[in-house]
Amino acid sequence: MTNQVYNFSAGPAVLPKEVLRQAAGEMLDWHGSGMSVMEMSHRGPEFISIYKQAEADLRELLAVPGNYKILFMQGGGLGENAIIPMNLAGCCAQPATIDFIHTGSWSGKSAKEARRYAHANVAASSEASGFTGVPPQSSWNLTPGAAYLHICTNETIDGVEYNFVPEIDPKVPIVADMSSHILSRQIDVSKYGVIFAGAQKNIGPAGLTLVIVRDDLLEDALPICPSAFHFKTVAEHESMYNTPPTYAIYIAGLVFAHLKKLGGVAAMEKINIEKARLLYAALDADDFYQNRVSHEFRSRMNVPFFLRDESLNEQFLAGAKARGLLQLKGHKSVGGMRASIYNAMPLEGVQALVDYLNEFAGR
Ligand SMILES: Cc1ncc(COP(=O)(O)O)c(C=O)c1O
């Protein structure tokens, strides 16, 4: 086993070493306060300063317009599948209709959960072709007057990433699950009504969920929406209506500061393009490995692949582990392998994986 390991987990996932080192150094005594961040009141001046800096840095990194609130919540991506209908489906004639584009496991789960609160219309699906891309927008069967359109802009399990922002009736907000690629590429926040992301992939520890919501969408909650998950209530209390996940917010804040130091999202996107190019080129070199996603929708963050001879899977994983290439086993629902190459995965890590892919294939 080498000392240097590269962790390709889909999440919880690799974090920048610099951030972990800083957190370790500040673990027992944050900035001379005599307290660990974990021990601080969320209402005290120390934690409030951590929270405000994290919020400001994220706003800057994503150029979040002034008419959007950033909420630091709990509940994860699956929690949002219920929280968002409960916050947005009160907008129109009841029961409201929500449109979904079904491009893989996560958008499928979102539609299933939404059915508990509204009518969920699957406006397009790539299931018949094995989730290998995003159905062309011309084929979407959208509902006039829908409460919103839900998309998952990066399907973590299937490795499918949108390469466009849907152009739809501007009165219908787009809700985007960006859990596994937020901050990996530049986005225009103003094109979306709500963006949400569990933190445990490209941001920080599990337990924190980011929500970016346009102001005018704070008024449409269903009466059953719990107060702790009511966007308007959470926004009015600057994410402190109840106790937020303080330590996860602190680590996320360190990651945001780190990204700013590296040149922000534009700089990360450039590196991410290069990492993905390198990895897909090795997978495509011959038919020893296979990635089944249409080239234009291949994810830059999550790269599922299969060995042509699947009887070699265990041998492949054991050899990878021996080289310090960890957590490459594919999701149980699809099998095969998956390499998640988030912001914190350095180019050298992808190069080490590529070297191993070539060696294992006997190239
Ligand atoms: C795109 C996407 N959405 C939602 C989820 C679910 O997130 P959580 O486990 O935080 O509920 C995941 C988790 O892997 C995901 O990748």
Side-chain angles (χ1 to χ4, degrees):
M1 188 88 176
T2 57
N3 283 330
Q4 173 67 67
V5 302
Y6 293 110
N7 174 4
F8 295 92
S9 168
V14 59
L15 285 169
K17 282 276 174 295
E18 297 85 335
V19 164
L20 294 177
R21 267 189 223 107
Q22 184 176 345
E26 296 175 348
M27 174 62 83
L28 298 180
D29 179 6
W30 182 82
H31 294 201
S33 65
M35 295 180 281
S36 170
V37 174
M38 272 183 274
E39 302 170 308
M40 290 173 183
S41 163
H42 58 297
R43 305 201 188 280
E46 295 90 351
F47 184 74
I48 295 287
S49 73
I50 290 171
Y51 160 79
K52 286 214 178 290
Q53 190 63 51
E55 203 263 359
D57 285 347
L58 180 62
R59 197 171 276 282
E60 184 182 329
L61 282 166
L62 289 176
V64 178
N67 62 327
Y68 284 73
K69 297 282 188 292
I70 296 178
L71 312 178
F72 292 82
M73 298 183 67
Q74 301 183 48
L78 290 191
E80 287 305 320
N81 287 345
I83 293 167
I84 292 183
M86 283 196 283
N87 273 282
L88 265 58
C91 63
C92 28
Q94 298 295 310
T97 295
I98 306 167
D99 283 336
F100 287 83
I101 308 302
H102 188 198
T103 48
S105 303
W106 294 112
S107 50
K109 281 197 175 171
S110 299
K112 192 166 168 215
E113 180 71 14
R115 281 197 186 103
R116 299 162 67 111
Y117 309 98
H119 174 64
N121 168 50
V122 176
S125 173
S126 57
E127 187 169 18
S129 58
F131 299 125
T132 52
V134 179
Q137 221 201 291
S138 56
S139 70
W140 297 4
N141 186 19
L142 297 174
T143 311
Y148 60 90
L149 167 69
H150 177 113
I151 58 176
C152 176
T153 44
N154 187 63
E155 290 278 4
T156 321
I157 293 175
D158 305 276
V160 171
E161 185 169 16
Y162 275 67
N163 61 2
F164 66 98
V165 183
E167 291 287 342
I168 62 167
D169 177 354
K171 289 197 286 300
V172 177
I174 300 174
V175 170
D177 176 356
M178 296 196 182
S179 293
S180 48
H181 75 160
I182 194 165
L183 292 165
S184 71
R185 62 191 296 151
Q186 290 182 285
I187 54 166
D188 180 352
V189 173
S190 73
K191 303 267 191 208
Y192 301 90
V194 181
I195 292 169
F196 70 90
Q200 68 270 24
K201 296 162 194 301
N202 216 14
I203 297 175
L208 166 65
T209 315
L210 289 180
V211 175
I212 302 173
V213 52
R214 209 173 61 211
D215 281 345
D216 62 290
L217 299 174
L218 297 174
E219 308 297 334
D220 296 326
L222 295 171
I224 55 162
C225 183
S227 307
F229 294 133
H230 182 224
F231 289 162
K232 188 172 183 189
T233 303
V234 176
E236 281 171 354
H237 291 82
E238 299 202 6
S239 301
M240 310 275 175
Y241 175 71
N242 63 336
T243 313
T246 51
Y247 197 76
I249 292 173
Y250 157 70
I251 297 286
L254 296 185
V255 171
F256 300 152
H258 175 70
L259 292 180
K260 277 176 58 179
K261 220 164 55 193
L262 295 179
V265 177
M268 294 321 299
E269 179 165 13
K270 238 170 114 184
I271 303 169
N272 288 329
I273 289 171
E274 179 54 17
K275 289 188 307 191
R277 190 197 60 73
L278 198 63
L279 181 49
Y280 283 112
L283 295 173
D284 290 342
D286 53 38
D287 65 355
F288 193 90
Y289 305 103
Q290 192 187 25
N291 169 280
R292 298 171 183 161
V293 178
S294 314
H295 284 224
E296 77 260 48
F297 297 118
R298 283 174 156 186
S299 170
R300 293 177 188 160
M301 293 285 101
N302 307 100
V303 183
F305 61 94
F306 300 88
L307 273 62
R308 184 188 49 204
D309 179 357
E310 297 229 291
S311 71
L312 297 176
N313 281 0
E314 289 311 315
Q315 194 187 328
F316 177 88
L317 287 167
K321 194 170 176 198
R323 284 161 185 74
L325 307 172
L326 307 182
Q327 309 208 62
L328 282 164
K329 192 171 181 166
H331 190 270
K332 59 183 185 307
S333 64
V334 290
M337 310 295 156
R338 174 174 51 172
S340 295
I341 50 174
Y342 297 121
N343 282 348
M345 172 59 64
L347 188 62
E348 301 80 63
V350 176
Q351 187 59 58
L353 175 58
V354 164
D355 291 344
Y356 176 59
L357 288 169
N358 287 334
E359 181 192 323
F360 193 82
R363 289 177 193 145

